């Protein structure tokens, strides 16, 4: 009887989470801005295109900005808020400071939108659309996104410090994804975002020089890749902020080469290569490495799920006039 009661409680919790997700998602609409800001997509697309034309790294940065925003108390634009004398934002949290980029791209797009359709489009929806446009511009998939998110009025540096880290064990990262309503398939698909962009040496140097605490490198790292990385990231502190591409073969292109790299022990981050050490995640990696369209389909679906995490709709939150501060 006790076991049945426990199962019933779990069922109720899962059912509540699912129904709440449906209710919130139902307030979003694929045509939300059709009447109030019909040129929204075109404006965002042009803003992203301009930014990436000036800095090819920016495509990956905009995707990362979206992920880091959504993973902290939901997609609410909280990451965009600046610190003030009375307000502590998320920009200076350890995973974000001197790392997350693209704030000025969102500012520029918002400035145009405020002239064309003032006080209509949320900063959160801009970030969501910018991430999609960045991926598509880099050769990746295009997916439809329902819109109508509103901006939050709070932020949490402490929660931002709990973002998944490339230094964490896989089981910890899976648990963090699960807590956001994202499953293992979402984790592997969204990890494919590491098919472009760069990482600082400090995020993977331990794999080169002292993985086991006895001065030996990570045996799961390809020898030739390790030797190349050692040239760019020598074993000294002043190399910590040097950069290396997450995918050294198609650096600025969004494709499935990331997964081929993992199959061949060419993953840069420990957390990425760890996907090959679990049967469930490894199976997904192999499938994505073989079938790019399968990866594109699942990545788009997981991005929609991510973009619906903890959102504010209806009368909740606000539409910021300036993405860096609450109204």
């Amino acid at each position: 009887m006790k076991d049945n009661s426990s199962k019933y409680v779990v069922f109720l919790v899962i059912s509540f989470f699912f129904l709440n997700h449906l209710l919130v998602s139902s307030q979003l609409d694929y045509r939300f801005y059709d009447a109030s800001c019909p040129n929204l997509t075109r404006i965002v697309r042009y803003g992203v295109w301009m930014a990436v034309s000036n800095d090819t790294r920016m495509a990956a940065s905009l995707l990362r900005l979206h992920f880091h925003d959504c993973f902290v108390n939901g997609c609410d634009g909280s990451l965009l808020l600046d610190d003030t004398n009375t307000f502590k934002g998320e920009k200076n949290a350890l995973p974000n400071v001197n790392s997350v980029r693209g704030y000025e791209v969102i500012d520029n797009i918002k400035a145009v939108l405020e002239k064309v359709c003032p006080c209509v489009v949320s900063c959160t929806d801009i970030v969501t659309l910018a991430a999609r446009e960045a991926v598509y511009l880099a050769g990746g998939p295009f997916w439809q996104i329902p819109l109508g998110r509103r901006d939050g009025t709070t932020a949490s540096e402490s929660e931002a410090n709990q973002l998944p880290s490339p230094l964490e064990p896989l089981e910890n990262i899976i648990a963090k994804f699960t807590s956001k309503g994202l499953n293992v398939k979402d984790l592997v698909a969204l990890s494919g975002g590491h098919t472009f962009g760069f990482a600082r040496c400090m995020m993977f140097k331990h794999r080169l020089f002292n993985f086991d605490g006895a001065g030996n490198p990570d045996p799961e790292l390809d020898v030739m890749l390790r030797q190349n990385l050692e040239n760019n990231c020598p074993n000294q502190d002043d190399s910590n902020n040097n950069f290396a591409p997450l995918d050294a073969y198609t650096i600025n292109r969004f494709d499935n080469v990331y997964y081929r790299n993992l199959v061949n022990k060419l993953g840069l981050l420990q957390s990425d290569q760890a996907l090959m050490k679990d049967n469930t995640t490894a199976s997904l990696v192999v499938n994505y490495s073989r079938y790019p369209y399968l990866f594109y389909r699942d990545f788009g679906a997981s991005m929609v799920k991510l973009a619906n995490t903890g959102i504010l709709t209806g009368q909740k939150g606000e539409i910021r006039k300036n993405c860096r501060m609450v109204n």
Side-chain angles (χ1 to χ4, degrees):
M1 185 70 178
K2 185 177 180 180
D3 290 341
N4 289 335
S5 298
S6 298
K7 291 178 181 177
Y8 182 66
V9 171
V10 172
F11 172 76
L12 287 176
V13 171
I14 293 174
S15 298
F16 175 79
F17 179 87
F18 179 70
L19 288 172
N20 185 62
H21 175 74
L22 286 178
L23 287 171
V24 171
S25 298
S26 68
Q27 297 182 50
L28 300 178
D29 194 317
Y30 291 101
R31 306 183 67 179
F32 189 86
Y33 296 108
D34 279 10
S36 58
C37 198
N39 290 319
L40 168 61
T41 300
R42 188 178 305 168
I43 291 169
V44 173
R45 183 171 297 157
Y46 181 74
V48 172
W49 178 80
M50 284 290 293
V52 174
S53 296
N54 292 326
D55 177 4
T56 53
R57 282 180 55 205
M58 190 53 69
S61 296
L62 289 171
L63 176 59
R64 187 162 181 259
L65 173 63
H66 178 47
F67 179 84
H68 278 227
D69 177 46
C70 290
F71 227 82
V72 179
N73 296 328
C75 307
D76 62 355
S78 58
L79 178 53
L80 305 176
L81 294 170
D82 284 339
D83 288 354
T84 69
N85 292 334
T86 58
F87 181 86
K88 189 72 170 175
E90 298 166 11
K91 290 182 177 179
N92 288 312
L94 289 176
N96 297 333
V97 65
N98 299 322
S99 177
V100 172
R101 310 164 67 237
Y103 302 116
E104 70 286 351
V105 178
I106 305 303
D107 289 340
N108 292 340
I109 294 171
K110 179 64 171 175
V112 174
L113 288 170
E114 284 301 302
K115 292 178 181 178
V116 176
C117 35
C119 303
V120 170
V121 182
S122 69
C123 300
T124 308
D125 273 345
I126 295 172
V127 172
T128 303
L129 286 170
R132 181 191 67 182
E133 297 302 323
V135 169
Y136 185 64
L137 190 61
F142 184 91
W143 59 93
Q144 297 295 334
I145 305 174
L147 300 169
R149 296 163 192 79
R150 290 169 66 85
D151 299 320
T153 56
T154 62
S156 175
E157 184 181 43
S158 61
E159 285 292 324
N161 279 323
Q162 300 304 313
L163 278 159
S165 164
L167 306 178
E168 281 187 280
L170 179 60
E171 55 266 28
N172 289 20
I173 297 175
I174 290 175
K176 289 183 177 182
F177 270 70
T178 302
S179 72
K180 304 299 178 183
L182 301 169
N183 58 33
V184 171
K185 185 178 181 181
D186 297 317
L187 164 61
V188 179
L190 293 173
S191 294
H194 288 168
T195 191
F196 62 173
F198 291 76
R200 288 183 292 176
C201 293
M202 64 186 297
M203 292 291 102
F204 58 84
K205 256 171 59 170
H206 65 290
R207 301 187 70 200
L208 310 180
F209 304 107
N210 191 27
F211 184 72
D212 58 0
N216 297 311
D218 185 350
E220 296 299 316
L221 181 63
D222 177 79
V223 174
M224 288 188 64
L225 175 61
R226 174 170 58 81
Q227 291 172 345
N228 288 335
L229 290 171
E230 287 173 351
N231 292 328
N232 187 44
C233 304
N235 193 16
Q236 52 201 46
D237 290 344
D238 61 5
S239 72
N240 283 346
N241 288 320
N242 291 350
F243 289 95
L246 289 162
D247 167 14
Y249 295 91
T250 54
I251 296 175
N252 294 311
R253 184 166 182 80
F254 194 99
D255 52 29
N256 72 325
V257 173
Y258 162 82
Y259 297 104
R260 295 186 212 167
N261 290 343
L262 298 188
V263 171
N264 294 303
K265 296 187 176 183
L266 295 169
L268 182 66
L269 302 178
Q270 177 184 336
S271 57
D272 286 337
Q273 195 59 53
L275 296 175
M276 289 302 296
K277 300 181 77 173
D278 174 89
N279 289 338
T280 302
T281 57
S283 176
L284 288 163
V285 168
V286 171
N287 282 337
Y288 291 155
S289 74
R290 293 173 177 171
Y291 309 111
Y293 291 105
L294 178 64
F295 163 50
Y296 283 4
R297 183 198 70 185
D298 289 353
F299 182 83
S302 293
M303 284 296 290
V304 172
K305 286 180 67 175
L306 174 69
N308 288 346
T309 302
I311 59 175
L312 302 171
T313 59
Q315 298 302 311
K316 296 179 180 178
E318 64 181 17
I319 304 298
R320 284 185 216 144
K321 296 177 183 178
N322 181 337
C323 291
R324 293 176 179 262
M325 62 184 70
V326 297
N327 293 340

